[in-house]
Amino acid sequence: SQKIEQNSEALNIQEGKTATLTCNYTNYSPAYLQWYRQDPGRGPVFLLLIRENEKEKRKERLKVTFDTTLKQSLFHITASQPADSATYLCALGSGNTGKLIFGQGTTLQVKP
Amino acid sequence: SQTIHQWPATLVQPVGSPLSLECTVEGTSNPNLYWYRQAAGRGLQLLFYSVGIGQISSEVPQNLSASRPQDRQFILSSKKLLLSDSGFYLCAWSPRSSGEKLFFGSGTQLSVL
C-alpha cells in the first residue's frame, strides 16, 4: 500500500539556522507533492506544490526539492524564526483534485 | 476573497448519539469539497469528496456519511457515534479549475465518550 514517512521526532533548531525536513514515500508515483503548515488546533495551510517534472521550487525563505528516483522531498526553511515553529505536513497527489495522501507531519521548534 | 467556515470548534458527544458537522465556503462557486479526519499523531485521512451538489464519494468504509445539499455547503453526519469516531475533523475546498491545492477550515475536535 502507499506509504508516506516523515520524521516523527521533533526538530529543534536555533533561530537563524536552516531547517530541513524530509518526506519519503513508497509504492506510489505522484504527479505532485505539497507541503502544508499546521499550527496546534488549526487546519493546515498550503505552502508549496512541486510537480514530478520539477526538481526544485522556492518561495521566499522556503525551498522544496523533489527526487522521484529516490522517492523523497526535502523542505528547507532558511533563516528560521521562532514564528516558523509548527508542524509541517507532506502530501502526495496525482489528479486534478485535493484527494491527497498525507504524512503524519514533523514538528519544528525554532528557539530564539 | 474565499473563506471557509466550519463549526463547531469543539464537540463532546456520548457514544450512540448523532452527529452533524457543517462547513460552508464563501467567495467561490462550484468548489470541490472534502472531509478529512486527523487522529492524534497521524496523518490526515480523506473521508469524503464531492465535486457537486448531491455527488459524494466515500473513501473509506465507516460509520459516517456526508451530504452536499447546496453548492457551497458540506455536512458530515452520523446516526450513532462510536468511540473510534473521535478525532479532529477538517473540511476543505479546492478550486474546480486547479483542484490540487486544499484550503482547510479551522477544524472540529470531536470527543466521543
Side-chain angles (χ1 to χ4, degrees):
Chain A
S1 62
Q2 302 155 346
K3 190 175 181 181
I4 301 177
E5 288 188 356
Q6 295 185 254
N7 192 343
S8 59
E9 295 182 7
L11 178 62
N12 295 296
I13 65 168
Q14 206 66 33
E15 181 177 9
K17 301 294 185 181
T18 296
T20 299
L21 285 68
T22 305
C23 175
N24 295 294
Y25 60 94
T26 57
N27 298 325
Y28 195 47
S29 296
Y32 53 84
L33 184 148
Q34 303 183 32
W35 285 89
Y36 289 79
R37 169 183 172 143
Q38 186 176 23
D39 292 289
R42 306 298 298 271
V45 175
F46 171 80
L47 296 175
L48 283 167
L49 180 151
I50 185 166
R51 300 192 183 277
E52 59 179 337
N53 59 348
E54 299 175 311
K55 295 293 185 184
E56 179 180 301
K57 184 165 275 190
R58 295 174 183 259
K59 178 183 177 182
E60 298 173 351
R61 295 185 295 113
L62 308 180
K63 184 179 84 171
V64 173
T65 63
F66 192 14
D67 189 325
T68 55
T69 300
L70 291 178
K71 294 186 180 295
Q72 181 182 76
S73 174
L74 299 179
F75 176 77
H76 306 274
I77 305 175
T78 59
S80 60
Q81 306 166 0
D84 295 326
S85 298
T87 296
Y88 291 86
L89 307 175
C90 165
L92 304 178
S94 59
N96 186 32
T97 72
K99 295 173 67 176
L100 304 177
I101 302 170
F102 279 86
Q104 79 274 30
T106 297
T107 298
L108 172 67
Q109 187 72 35
V110 181
K111 298 182 179 181
Chain B
S1 63
Q2 301 88 4
T3 56
I4 179 169
H5 303 279
Q6 185 182 343
W7 66 93
T10 59
L11 192 60
V12 180
Q13 293 284 102
V15 169
S17 65
L19 173 74
S20 181
L21 302 180
E22 190 164 341
C23 171
T24 60
V25 181
E26 295 179 357
T28 187
S29 58
N30 207 23
N32 294 331
L33 295 174
Y34 312 83
W35 281 109
Y36 278 85
R37 178 171 60 198
Q38 186 175 34
R42 300 182 66 178
L44 278 70
Q45 181 185 37
L46 179 62
L47 302 177
F48 298 97
Y49 160 62
S50 173
V51 297
I53 297 174
Q55 301 179 61
I56 310 294
S57 295
S58 175
E59 297 299 310
V60 293
Q62 57 206 319
N63 184 43
L64 303 168
S65 62
S67 62
R68 184 171 178 173
Q70 300 181 45
D71 180 48
R72 290 170 291 173
Q73 184 184 28
F74 207 22
I75 298 171
L76 183 69
S77 303
S78 175
K79 293 182 179 179
K80 289 185 178 181
L81 284 169
L82 306 172
L83 287 174
S84 57
D85 292 323
S86 295
F88 191 48
Y89 288 82
L90 289 155
C91 181
W93 74 277
S94 67
R96 183 60 57 85
S97 58
S98 57
E100 308 102 335
K101 304 173 191 176
L102 290 175
F103 300 91
F104 285 90
S106 53
T108 295
Q109 184 64 53
L110 172 66
S111 298
V112 182
L113 305 177

